[in-house]
Amino acid sequence: MKSLSVLPAGLTILTAVLLSGCGADPAPSAAPAPPSSPAADHALAGTPCGDFAGPQGAKSKVVVRGKTECAEATQVLTDYFTKLTPAEAASPQGPGPVVIGAWTCGSGPNDPVTSCSTEDERQIEATRS
């Protein structure tokens, strides 16, 4: 009977040794990021839409990011500058924010860039030249 009493103690030690090895493996590394597509790179870089004539004929170069057409960008900027009051335009904090449909537009004080964005991450930037 003496051998049977040794068996549970030996089994306990063997189980502990086997289980301690379970946590010794390194955690799997994170999956690599999927390669970016040319369309995604293009959206990040932006799509030039040409020039836009803003208030007092000031020219701005327009760039869109995300799923935004140049025609929509031009219309949003036209509506923004039409809706912008002289007091907002002269604000020491910069013009805006002004809401144009799904878009919110504005810029910092003395900033040559007017930015508009939506909650679904579409963007328009108009930089005065």
Side-chain angles (χ1 to χ4, degrees):
M1 283 305 249
K2 191 172 189 181
S3 63
L4 288 179
S5 64
V6 173
L7 184 62
L11 187 57
T12 302
I13 293 171
L14 180 62
T15 304
V17 168
L18 290 174
L19 290 178
S20 69
C22 290
D25 291 338
S29 61
S36 61
S37 68
D41 291 341
H42 186 66
L44 292 175
T47 302
C49 289
D51 290 341
F52 168 79
Q56 292 92 31
K59 296 276 187 199
S60 294
K61 298 221 178 281
V62 177
V63 174
V64 296
R65 290 181 180 79
K67 294 182 179 189
T68 305
E69 299 293 324
C70 290
E72 180 182 19
T74 302
Q75 187 61 54
V76 168
L77 290 168
T78 299
D79 293 348
Y80 167 71
F81 286 114
T82 300
K83 191 173 181 181
L84 191 64
T85 67
E88 289 170 324
S91 170
Q93 288 82 29
V98 174
V99 175
I100 308 293
W103 295 89
T104 302
C105 301
S107 62
N110 302 315
D111 190 348
V113 178
T114 297
S115 298
C116 302
S117 62
T118 62
E119 287 189 17
D120 63 355
E121 299 182 7
R122 293 178 288 155
Q123 296 179 341
I124 302 169
E125 289 181 359
T127 305
R128 284 188 304 275
S129 40

